[in-house]
Amino acid sequence: MMCRRFHRLRARVLLLKQDRLTCLEAQLDQIDQNEKLPLYLGKSRGDTNPERKSVMSQIESALADYGMFDVCDRWL
């Protein structure tokens, strides 16, 4: 049985996912730079910045999606 693996298409989708993560990283950096209070990166319980929490949640989802795509692509 012959099946196409669509390497070129997979590469393009992976690049889009990387670009999304890069944009989210830039948003997070901007939020951190504008923060007036000291940051404690190892303890998020005290973080009262809702914008940072929202971006971090988006980053977590995007990283999980990126990781799953990358892992699945290795097996095909």
Side-chain angles (χ1 to χ4, degrees):
M1 179 177 200
M2 292 287 286
C3 297
R4 287 184 61 188
R5 295 186 182 182
F6 299 99
H7 291 294
R8 217 170 25 97
L9 293 176
R10 289 180 181 281
R12 289 181 69 171
V13 170
L14 197 56
L15 288 170
L16 287 173
K17 291 178 183 300
Q18 288 177 355
D19 187 54
R20 168 105 172 103
L21 281 163
T22 299
C23 291
L24 288 168
E25 181 181 37
Q27 286 179 21
L28 182 62
D29 289 343
Q30 187 65 40
I31 292 167
D32 289 348
Q33 287 175 359
N34 294 332
E35 184 64 54
K36 292 173 178 48
L37 300 173
L39 292 176
Y40 299 101
L41 299 178
K43 183 180 174 187
S44 64
R45 288 174 283 179
D47 189 1
T48 59
N49 189 322
E51 189 178 9
R52 182 174 21 254
K53 287 181 181 182
S54 173
V55 171
M56 285 299 296
S57 178
Q58 292 175 58
I59 289 171
E60 185 176 5
S61 296
L63 277 173
D65 183 43
Y66 177 80
M68 287 300 296
F69 185 85
D70 191 34
V71 168
C72 291
D73 190 38
R74 288 184 204 146
W75 298 107
L76 298 176

